[in-house]
Coordinates of all heavy atoms in Angstrom, one line a residue:
Chain G
Y145 N -14.6 -12.3 9.1 CA -15.9 -12.3 8.5 C -17.0 -12.2 9.5 O -16.9 -12.6 10.6 CB -16.1 -13.7 7.7 CG -15.0 -14.1 6.8 CD1 -13.9 -14.7 7.3 CD2 -15.1 -13.8 5.4 CE1 -12.8 -15.0 6.4 CE2 -14.0 -14.1 4.6 CZ -12.9 -14.7 5.1 OH -11.9 -15.1 4.2
Y147 N -21.1 -13.3 9.5 CA -22.3 -14.0 8.9 C -23.5 -13.8 9.7 O -23.4 -13.6 11.0 CB -22.0 -15.5 8.7 CG -20.8 -15.8 7.8 CD1 -19.5 -15.9 8.2 CD2 -21.1 -16.1 6.4 CE1 -18.5 -16.2 7.3 CE2 -20.1 -16.4 5.5 CZ -18.8 -16.5 6.0 OH -17.7 -16.8 5.2
Q149 N -27.5 -15.5 10.5 CA -28.5 -16.6 10.3 C -29.8 -16.2 11.0 O -29.8 -16.3 12.3 CB -27.9 -17.9 10.9 CG -28.8 -19.1 10.6 CD -28.3 -20.4 11.2 OE1 -27.7 -20.4 12.3 NE2 -28.6 -21.5 10.6
K154 N -30.8 -20.2 6.2 CA -29.4 -20.5 6.0 C -28.5 -19.4 6.5 O -28.9 -18.3 6.8 CB -29.2 -20.7 4.5 CG -29.3 -19.5 3.6 CD -28.9 -19.9 2.2 CE -29.1 -18.7 1.3 NZ -28.7 -19.1 -0.1
F157 N -23.6 -14.6 4.3 CA -22.4 -13.7 4.4 C -22.8 -12.3 4.5 O -23.7 -11.8 3.8 CB -21.6 -13.9 3.1 CG -20.5 -12.9 2.9 CD1 -19.3 -13.0 3.6 CD2 -20.6 -11.9 2.0 CE1 -18.3 -12.1 3.4 CE2 -19.6 -11.0 1.8 CZ -18.4 -11.1 2.5
E168 N -15.0 -7.3 0.9 CA -16.3 -7.6 0.2 C -17.4 -7.5 1.2 O -17.3 -7.7 2.4 CB -16.3 -9.0 -0.4 CG -17.4 -9.4 -1.3 CD -17.4 -10.7 -1.9 OE1 -16.4 -11.4 -1.7 OE2 -18.3 -11.1 -2.6
F203 N -22.6 -14.7 13.4 CA -21.3 -15.4 13.6 C -20.1 -14.7 13.0 O -20.2 -14.1 12.0 CB -21.4 -16.8 12.8 CG -22.4 -17.7 13.3 CD1 -23.6 -17.9 12.7 CD2 -22.1 -18.5 14.4 CE1 -24.6 -18.8 13.2 CE2 -23.0 -19.4 14.9 CZ -24.3 -19.6 14.3
A210 N -5.0 -16.5 2.7 CA -5.8 -16.7 1.5 C -5.6 -18.1 0.9 O -6.4 -18.7 0.2 CB -5.4 -15.7 0.4
D213 N -7.6 -23.1 3.9 CA -9.0 -23.3 3.5 C -10.1 -23.3 4.5 O -11.2 -23.3 4.1 CB -9.0 -24.7 2.8 CG -8.6 -25.8 3.8 OD1 -8.4 -25.5 5.0 OD2 -8.4 -27.0 3.4
T214 N -9.8 -23.2 5.8 CA -10.8 -23.4 6.7 C -11.1 -22.1 7.5 O -10.2 -21.6 8.2 CB -10.4 -24.5 7.7 OG1 -10.3 -25.7 7.0 CG2 -11.5 -24.7 8.7
Q215 N -12.3 -21.7 7.5 CA -12.8 -20.6 8.3 C -13.2 -21.2 9.6 O -14.0 -22.1 9.7 CB -13.9 -19.8 7.7 CG -13.5 -19.0 6.4 CD -14.6 -18.2 5.9 OE1 -15.5 -17.8 6.6 NE2 -14.5 -17.8 4.6
F217 N -15.3 -20.7 13.1 CA -16.4 -19.9 13.5 C -16.4 -19.7 15.0 O -16.0 -20.6 15.8 CB -17.7 -20.5 13.1 CG -18.1 -20.3 11.7 CD1 -17.5 -21.0 10.7 CD2 -19.1 -19.4 11.4 CE1 -17.8 -20.7 9.3 CE2 -19.5 -19.1 10.1 CZ -18.8 -19.8 9.0
G218 N -16.9 -18.5 15.4 CA -17.2 -18.3 16.9 C -18.5 -19.0 17.2 O -19.2 -19.4 16.3
P219 N -18.8 -18.9 18.5 CA -20.1 -19.6 18.9 C -21.3 -18.8 18.6 O -22.4 -19.3 18.7 CB -19.9 -19.7 20.4 CG -19.0 -18.6 20.8 CD -18.1 -18.4 19.6
Chain S
Y1219 N -13.0 -24.7 -2.6 CA -13.2 -25.7 -1.5 C -14.6 -25.9 -1.2 O -15.5 -25.0 -1.4 CB -12.5 -25.1 -0.2 CG -11.0 -24.9 -0.3 CD1 -10.5 -23.7 -0.3 CD2 -10.2 -26.0 -0.2 CE1 -9.1 -23.5 -0.4 CE2 -8.8 -25.8 -0.3 CZ -8.3 -24.6 -0.3 OH -6.9 -24.4 -0.4
F1221 N -17.3 -27.6 1.8 CA -17.3 -28.0 3.2 C -18.7 -28.5 3.6 O -19.7 -28.2 3.0 CB -17.1 -26.7 4.1 CG -15.8 -26.0 3.8 CD1 -15.8 -25.0 2.8 CD2 -14.7 -26.2 4.6 CE1 -14.6 -24.3 2.6 CE2 -13.5 -25.5 4.3 CZ -13.5 -24.6 3.3
Y1223 N -20.7 -28.3 7.3 CA -20.7 -27.8 8.7 C -21.9 -28.4 9.4 O -23.0 -28.6 8.8 CB -20.8 -26.3 8.7 CG -19.5 -25.6 8.5 CD1 -19.1 -25.2 7.2 CD2 -18.7 -25.2 9.5 CE1 -17.9 -24.5 7.0 CE2 -17.5 -24.5 9.3 CZ -17.2 -24.1 8.0 OH -16.0 -23.4 7.8
Q1225 N -24.5 -28.0 12.6 CA -25.0 -27.0 13.6 C -25.9 -27.7 14.5 O -27.1 -27.9 14.2 CB -25.7 -25.9 12.9 CG -26.0 -24.7 13.8 CD -26.7 -23.6 13.1 OE1 -27.6 -23.7 12.3 NE2 -26.3 -22.3 13.5
R1229 N -26.3 -24.2 18.2 CA -26.2 -23.3 17.0 C -24.7 -22.9 16.7 O -24.4 -22.1 15.9 CB -27.0 -22.0 17.2 CG -28.5 -22.3 17.2 CD -29.4 -21.1 17.1 NE -29.4 -20.6 15.8 CZ -30.1 -19.5 15.4 NH1 -30.8 -18.9 16.3 NH2 -30.1 -19.1 14.1
Q1230 N -23.8 -23.6 17.4 CA -22.4 -23.4 17.0 C -22.2 -24.1 15.7 O -22.8 -25.1 15.3 CB -21.5 -24.2 18.1 CG -20.1 -24.4 17.7 CD -19.2 -23.2 18.0 OE1 -19.2 -22.7 19.1 NE2 -18.5 -22.7 17.1
R1236 N -13.9 -31.2 4.8 CA -13.6 -30.3 3.7 C -13.0 -31.0 2.5 O -12.4 -32.1 2.7 CB -12.7 -29.2 4.1 CG -11.4 -29.6 4.6 CD -10.5 -28.4 5.0 NE -9.2 -28.9 5.5 CZ -9.0 -28.9 6.8 NH1 -9.9 -28.5 7.7 NH2 -7.8 -29.3 7.3
M1281 N -16.4 -22.3 -1.0 CA -15.5 -21.2 -0.8 C -14.5 -21.1 -2.0 O -13.9 -22.1 -2.3 CB -14.7 -21.3 0.5 CG -13.9 -20.0 0.8 SD -13.0 -20.1 2.4 CE -11.5 -20.9 1.9
V1283 N -11.1 -20.0 -3.9 CA -9.7 -20.1 -3.4 C -9.1 -18.7 -3.1 O -8.3 -18.6 -2.2 CB -8.9 -20.9 -4.4 CG1 -7.4 -20.8 -4.1 CG2 -9.3 -22.3 -4.4
S1288 N -13.1 -15.0 -0.6 CA -13.1 -16.2 0.3 C -14.2 -16.4 1.2 O -14.2 -17.1 2.1 CB -11.8 -16.3 1.1 OG -11.7 -15.1 1.9
K1289 N -15.3 -15.7 0.9 CA -16.5 -15.8 1.7 C -17.1 -17.2 1.5 O -16.9 -17.9 0.4 CB -17.6 -14.8 1.3 CG -18.1 -15.0 -0.1 CD -19.1 -14.0 -0.5 CE -19.6 -14.3 -1.9 NZ -20.5 -13.2 -2.4
L1290 N -17.8 -17.7 2.5 CA -18.5 -19.0 2.4 C -19.9 -18.7 1.9 O -20.6 -17.8 2.3 CB -18.6 -19.7 3.7 CG -17.3 -20.3 4.2 CD1 -17.4 -20.7 5.7 CD2 -17.0 -21.6 3.4
G1293 N -25.6 -23.6 1.6 CA -26.9 -24.1 1.3 C -27.9 -23.8 2.4 O -27.6 -23.3 3.5

Side-chain angles (χ1 to χ4, degrees):
Chain G
Y145 308 84
Y147 294 88
Q149 185 186 31
K154 69 176 178 180
F157 167 76
E168 188 176 356
F203 292 101
D213 58 8
T214 301
Q215 291 186 23
F217 280 76
Chain S
Y1219 296 107
F1221 304 86
Y1223 280 89
Q1225 188 179 45
R1229 300 190 73 181
Q1230 169 84 51
R1236 61 178 174 261
M1281 187 176 90
V1283 168
S1288 57
K1289 66 182 180 187
L1290 284 166

